[in-house]
Amino acid sequence: MTGSADGDMEIYDLKVTVDRIEGRSVCGMATGDSFELTNSAHLRLPDGRHFCVYALAAVLPFLAAKQRDLAAGDWLAQDSHFACPDPEERLVMKVERTCRRRMNSADLT
């Protein structure tokens, strides 16, 4: 089945930002560091910046759900903060929806 030219589904682009670091930054990241997830699966970092792979691994399982509409009572619809697993760092990230776009589900895997 092929989606229409206007798209047959809606999905959100996301921005993941380091909201705070409550310990010591062992990965070299700072408050405000971020990445964007656009067009369903395009991960973009600002030029010259990095994002810790362990912090990314902590938030990654939730991103597909945050890209979609969720039931009002779903905890994930209400919560937008996620923590890196490093106990020394205590890095907290915030996931924000930046825009909503129509896409063809047939174009996605």
Side-chain angles (χ1 to χ4, degrees), residues 14-73:
L14 303 174
K15 183 173 183 179
V16 178
T17 305
V18 176
D19 188 61
R20 62 188 181 274
I21 300 174
E22 298 173 342
R24 62 184 183 98
S25 179
V26 295
C27 66
M29 289 177 44
T31 300
D33 285 346
S34 65
F35 69 85
E36 293 180 349
L37 183 61
T38 62
N39 296 305
S40 177
H42 298 179
L43 189 110
R44 297 198 169 121
L45 292 166
D47 286 341
R49 303 300 302 167
H50 76 279
F51 207 89
C52 173
V53 68
Y54 300 107
L56 177 61
V59 74
L60 195 59
F62 302 100
L63 297 182
K66 292 296 278 186
Q67 288 178 308
R68 289 156 176 77
D69 287 323
L70 299 166

Side-chain angles (χ1 to χ4, degrees), residues 51-106:
F51 207 89
C52 173
V53 68
Y54 300 107
L56 177 61
V59 74
L60 195 59
F62 302 100
L63 297 182
K66 292 296 278 186
Q67 288 178 308
R68 289 156 176 77
D69 287 323
L70 299 166
D74 189 316
W75 70 270
L76 196 52
Q78 301 168 19
D79 201 346
S80 61
H81 289 88
F82 300 87
C84 176
D86 188 329
E88 290 288 319
E89 193 156 38
R90 297 186 308 281
L91 182 142
V92 179
M93 299 161 280
K94 183 174 185 176
V95 178
E96 298 173 281
R97 291 173 167 170
T98 57
C99 74
R100 187 175 175 115
R101 67 175 69 238
R102 292 195 63 77
M103 298 187 74
N104 290 314
S105 59

